[in-house]
Amino acid sequence: MIENSLALGILIAGATAFILYKINPLFKVPGPIITILTNWWILWHTYFERRNRLIHKLHIEYGSIVRLGPNEVSIADPGYVKNIYVDNYDKSHFYFLFTVYGKVNAFSAIDKATHSRSRKVVHQLYSKSAINASFIESLILEKLQQLESYLDSPQPIEVIKLFRSLAMDVITAFQFGKGHGSNLLGDGAVREAILGKFKILFTSWFFGPYLPKIAQYLYSKDFYSAAEDIDNWIIESMRKSGYPHDSIANRLIKGGLDELEAASEIADHIIAGHETSAIVLTFLTWHLSKNPEIQSKLQNEIRSAVKSNGGSLPAFKEIDKLAYLQGTVQEALRLYAPIPASEPRVVPPGGLNYRPSSPLYGQLNRGYFIPGGTVVSIQPFTLHRDPNVFEDPLLFNPERWFVNNPNLSKMNRSFLAFGAGIRGCVGSNLALQDIKLAVAYIYASYTTIVSPRTTDISMESNDRYSIRPKADECLLIFDKK
Ligand code: HEM
């Protein structure tokens, strides 16, 4: 009797597995069973800001490949950055949100052909040599002097707003030409208005990317009004600038884009660039403030470079060579990647034969065939914490990035803060110049301390596509010594 029931049970389980497999070949891929039936499970957790940490936990539990929904998998394997990102799978519909003025731009383009039209024009404008040849270094230094006027106070300073203003003033000047960028550091009223509107946009982060087909019905009136104001602010700033020859706007138009296409591209650079750079600076300065030993090593490096340069900050090309500064910025980008979440792509029609290239968290999965059309991604949050690659991964250790570390190329392979391949971050050189100059400028003269109101809990990052401290403030005390 028991044997018959057991046989029947096995038969039913086998038949169910067979039917589910026929319904969906991702059935075999490990993951919570509910994900074979619906993607509402992952969306639910995404909405309640648990996605990145949940996917991370799933990888620890199931290994380097996890099913997230009937048509979506997450891979945590540096060996597949090449297939998915460098070989340039098409983007998923997640990116529709980033279309502005009804015009597709480099960020929101789904397929390769549409993307390459925008990217071709923009790519060389952001190369390291183009940035070095531009006015950007002198502009950043001017802006840092403006920023410094807020630091000489015994009161704690809220730095997120200041760093967002710095990044915005720099990026907009790069877009519209020197003298035509914003002046958020100089004008408190405009700063509050503009940053407030961007905050509304960022607060509505969920609907656009994760429910693109119905997002337009779900946004609030405030969202539409903020989006319209920002769109108008950008296009009016562009028109007012008169497209000077040193602006991105000028080069985009010369590259064959019409006015709205150029504005769409620029709006995206402003959205993608100002918040991300500011968030790195926030977490980095907070981390240094909590760790006087690391801060002091960094100060020693920067201050001896200043001394060798006759008492003034060396040019960026010298700052760029400072190894401890480089390690500190890399660590901030590793542990506080401003975009730690999945960058979804679509597996091409031939499918992807996934064979794990290395064990993740000590587990080596079997291989699986991922059919064409499946949404696939690798989240930096997990790659950046892999103990097989980063020794003691939660430790903020700038020295791990020194060139004599034999693990360096392995770590670089797993470093995804700027994405990878031709769809990786076009603005990384600008961002790094901005961040490194700001850190060098501040720590050449100041020591920073965390204000008691800013705690590890208040600084815990939220769990979204792009992150911020949960309390949305970071109070530091700047001491001129
Ligand atoms: C620390 C600062 C920054 C971080 C961490 C960052 C991160 C990223 C990442 C991860 C991607 C890839 C997205 C994907 O694969 O789908 C990306 C793309 C992009 N970023 Fe950044 N970004 C930063 C700063 C900037 C700046 C300053 C700009 C422009 C001024 C910018 C403009 C863009 C654009 C246009 C793309 C789309 C590129 C394409 O698809 O061709 N970013 N960024």
Side-chain angles (χ1 to χ4, degrees):
M1 184 67 180
I2 293 175
E3 275 167 13
N4 282 351
S5 307
L6 194 66
L8 188 66
I10 292 171
L11 198 69
I12 292 172
T16 314
F18 181 75
I19 292 165
L20 284 174
Y21 177 68
K22 281 290 167 197
I23 293 172
N24 189 337
L26 290 186
F27 170 67
K28 279 190 181 172
V29 175
I33 193 73
I34 189 167
T35 59
I36 192 75
L37 301 170
T38 176
N39 59 11
W40 283 102
W41 181 81
I42 192 68
L43 284 174
W44 174 265
H45 289 293
T46 306
Y47 181 74
F48 286 105
E49 305 196 1
R50 300 191 279 261
R51 181 188 173 99
N52 307 337
R53 290 181 177 98
L54 174 67
I55 294 178
H56 185 65
K57 267 203 215 140
L58 293 176
H59 279 300
I60 293 173
E61 189 180 341
Y62 294 103
S64 60
I65 180 161
V66 188
R67 189 184 55 240
L68 300 180
N71 188 38
E72 182 170 4
V73 295
S74 171
I75 289 180
D77 185 335
Y80 279 76
V81 168
K82 179 178 179 308
N83 301 59
I84 298 168
Y85 296 102
V86 178
D87 292 350
N88 198 9
Y89 286 2
D90 284 350
K91 283 188 166 181
S92 79
H93 292 294
F94 175 91
Y95 293 88
F96 267 158
L97 165 79
F98 302 97
T99 293
V100 194
Y101 308 107
K103 298 281 185 177
V104 172
N105 50 52
F107 202 86
S108 66
I110 301 290
D111 61 282
K112 295 179 193 47
T114 317
H115 173 252
S116 86
R117 178 169 179 253
S118 311
R119 179 80 184 214
K120 229 176 16 214
V121 183
V122 185
H123 197 68
Q124 78 269 23
L125 308 179
Y126 281 96
S127 69
K128 206 164 183 172
S129 54
I131 304 272
N132 288 343
S134 75
F135 59 81
I136 219 66
E137 181 169 355
S138 62
L139 178 94
I140 295 173
L141 291 172
E142 252 171 54
K143 289 289 164 186
L144 284 167
Q145 280 165 12
Q146 250 182 313
L147 183 135
E148 191 175 6
S149 64
Y150 294 89
L151 306 185
D152 288 325
S153 152
Q155 298 305 318
I157 314 283
E158 201 293 289
V159 294
I160 304 182
K161 238 179 221 175
L162 280 188
F163 291 147
R164 286 179 73 201
S165 305
L166 168 71
M168 182 70 89
D169 286 355
V170 169
I171 287 174
T172 48
F174 199 57
Q175 307 300 325
F176 306 130
K178 194 165 188 189
H180 300 282
S182 59
N183 182 22
L184 302 197
L185 279 169
D187 188 331
V190 178
R191 174 165 69 237
E192 291 303 315
I194 298 292
L195 296 186
K197 289 182 198 304
F198 274 101
K199 193 170 166 187
I200 296 175
L201 290 198
F202 289 130
T203 317
S204 315
W205 61 281
F206 176 76
F207 300 127
Y210 296 100
L211 297 174
K213 290 193 179 132
I214 52 169
Q216 55 175 310
Y217 308 109
L218 301 171
Y219 286 133
S220 66
K221 265 194 193 148
D222 282 356
F223 172 87
Y224 280 113
S225 147
E228 194 181 334
D229 289 349
I230 288 173
D231 289 358
N232 289 340
W233 176 63
I234 290 171
I235 202 148
E236 278 163 21
S237 306
M238 187 171 104
R239 285 178 182 151
K240 248 194 263 163
S241 75
Y243 305 94
H245 76 278
D246 60 358
S247 68
I248 293 281
N250 175 293
R251 309 283 289 274
L252 291 172
I253 300 280
K254 277 194 185 143
L257 275 63
D258 66 30
E259 190 190 48
L260 278 188
E261 285 170 336
S264 170
E265 208 60 66
I266 284 172
D268 232 46
H269 298 192
I270 291 174
I271 295 166
H274 95 273
E275 173 85 3
T276 43
S277 306
I279 288 304
V280 178
L281 277 171
T282 301
F283 279 112
L284 192 157
T285 48
W286 168 67
H287 213 99
L288 292 176
S289 309
K290 284 204 320 171
N291 290 281
E293 205 182 304
I294 298 180
Q295 183 175 163
S296 152
K297 284 186 186 173
L298 181 67
Q299 282 168 327
N300 289 343
E301 182 183 66
I302 294 167
R303 290 173 186 190
S304 77
V306 168
K307 200 166 163 206
S308 319
N309 193 45
S312 53
L313 202 65
F316 177 69
K317 65 177 193 321
E318 297 307 318
I319 301 270
D320 201 21
K321 291 182 195 153
L322 299 178
Y324 203 83
L325 174 62
Q326 164 67 14
T328 308
V329 172
Q330 273 308 84
E331 274 299 78
L333 283 161
R334 181 178 74 82
L335 283 173
Y336 305 103
I339 306 184
S342 321
E343 300 289 5
R345 302 292 195 263
V346 179
V347 176
L352 168 68
N353 243 323
Y354 176 67
R355 298 278 169 270
S357 72
S358 57
L360 182 92
Y361 301 99
Q363 297 196 47
L364 190 62
N365 273 98
R366 290 171 41 206
Y368 297 95
F369 177 74
I370 313 298
T374 305
V375 174
V376 63
S377 58
I378 299 183
Q379 70 164 9
F381 187 91
T382 299
L383 276 200
H384 289 184
R385 286 164 178 74
D386 181 352
N388 290 315
V389 177
F390 300 99
E391 202 185 315
D392 206 349
L394 299 185
L395 186 73
F396 190 101
N397 175 17
E399 287 162 42
R400 73 170 85 237
W401 295 101
F402 284 4
V403 284
N404 59 0
N405 184 345
N407 258 350
L408 192 60
S409 61
K410 204 169 150 188
M411 293 195 302
N412 279 329
R413 210 168 74 115
S414 282
F415 181 79
L416 211 55
F418 289 113
I422 191 64
R423 305 219 61 168
C425 183
V426 81
S428 60
N429 293 314
L430 178 62
L432 287 171
Q433 180 147 340
D434 198 4
I435 293 167
K436 284 186 176 178
L437 278 173
V439 174
Y441 189 95
I442 291 169
Y443 289 97
S445 310
Y446 292 89
T447 295
T448 58
I449 305 156
V450 186
S451 156
R453 205 165 95 185
T454 291
T455 62
D456 284 5
I457 293 175
S458 77
M459 284 300 289
E460 196 185 311
S461 65
N462 58 18
D463 190 306
R464 299 179 179 175
Y465 175 64
S466 59
I467 56 157
R468 272 176 165 228
K470 272 189 182 157
D472 203 15
E473 68 166 26
C474 174
L475 292 159
L476 303 181
I477 297 160
F478 289 77
D479 192 359
K480 201 153 197 173
K481 64 176 188 198

